[in-house]
Amino acid sequence: MASLSRAPQQWATFARVWYLLDGKMQPPGKLAALASVRLQGLHKPVYHQLSDCGDHVVIMNTRHIAFSGNKWEQKVYSSHTGYPGGFKQVTAAQLHRKDPVAIVKLAIYGMLPKNLHRRTLMKRLHLFPDEDIPEDILKNLTEELPQPRKVPRRLDEYTQEEIEAFPRVWSPTMTVKHVWIVLKCNGVRSLRPEDYRL
Amino acid sequence: MAALNVLVSGCGRFLRGLLTGPTVTSWARPPARWLREVVEIQEGKTTIIEGRITGTPRESPNPPNPSGQCPICRWNLKHKYSYEDVLLLSQFIRPHGGMLPRRVTGLCQEEHRKIEECVKMAHRAGLLPNHRPKLPEGFVPKTRPRLNRYLTRWSPRSVKPIYNKGHRWNKLNRLPEVEVRTQLLGFGQGQSYKGAAGRKGWSSPSPTIPFLSDWRPHGGACKGFSQLLMGN
């Protein structure tokens, strides 16, 4: 590849790049970690806090993010309106229902540096609940980042050959039903054919 | 049968222990039985209910460790599977998603419990979509927007929101996935304040059940067994 002269090389180094991230079945924290690194420009060797070298990040399918554990029910997002009695606490599930973009947005907001750059970096973040992204943003996208979590395959996503190739691990055993020995003078009950069942 | 009658006619309480449910490890595996399907035929006034022998799924030949007592030990899967190994877990479930009894599958008690927990987690993660419970005839369920989740150990309905995560000296237990890594290094996070350790917080494995303290359902820490076998 021919080397560029100084001005085009500088332009190529400092150009702002648009990244795409698919949030389907991904934990929002891991998405946020990737996004915050790209937004600040920490993934570049030419990073400097004052040189404004961050990139744009577009995250789609934020409606389909997946929390591990019981965080949908346990994680609480708190806010205060400023007025007395205005302390609101909402669970992650309720917040997601109200605004499918909010969880990822808050996660990224919390991971960015707590200075005045944060607001400008958030302006460079674009979140979409589903797959439909406006035309002008689609035209800007250059690279899709790999998903942070490897999504496990469902049972119906395995082919029949794979299911048959997997060894069968057990075969049915025979058991004797629990037998009660009746301690009576007129004798005890012995095992009958219906006691032997699968 | 005659020998059994002789035994039974002796003193009962001692024999109750002998005859009732022997443990899997103490006797050799009994001969396997064929599976039957029940067929009901109506011929005029006679109803014939017949159990016809159907194709019974047999264990695959040549397990790596034939001397093992339960299927997991025989196939060397002791700490190798996880909630995402649906190919393994689907062998122990009924068509509507319930677990098969231990005396049928031949699993040992702890492995049965582990598989049961993994099956529950797989159901909650949506990895077994065709093993749903049967709904009554003509019932159309209201499709509410489902939240995606994974590694859900406890039932979502049993869990309350954590409104107060605690001050600096009285924080809650950290999340179980992070606990995994600290437990691997030593035991616990070296909490010196009794208050911190005592607070019940994020859902984590209960330390009172013995097998759970050394088994972690880590979805991502080691590759699932099925995925390894399929060469992923």
Side-chain angles (χ1 to χ4, degrees), chain B residues 171-179 181-182 189 191 201-204:
Chain B
K171 282 269 192 218
L172 284 181
N173 298 328
R174 288 165 78 201
L175 300 172
E177 298 93 278
V178 183
E179 258 184 354
R181 267 170 247 128
T182 53
Q189 295 142 337
Q191 293 161 343
W202 297 101
S203 52
S204 55

Side-chain angles (χ1 to χ4, degrees), chain A residues 89-136:
Chain A
Q89 283 187 301
V90 207
T91 58
Q94 291 166 334
L95 183 63
H96 195 70
R97 206 172 298 136
K98 206 162 56 167
D99 182 13
V101 157
I103 289 183
V104 184
K105 192 167 175 190
L106 285 168
I108 296 176
Y109 192 74
M111 291 197 190
L112 290 173
K114 317 287 182 279
N115 52 28
L116 293 173
H117 288 298
R118 187 160 59 161
R119 297 269 165 160
T120 36
L121 297 183
M122 286 300 282
K123 285 202 185 125
R124 292 190 190 144
L125 171 70
H126 312 274
L127 297 166
F128 298 99
D130 296 305
E131 295 234 353
D132 50 290
I133 303 172
E135 282 278 336
D136 42 358

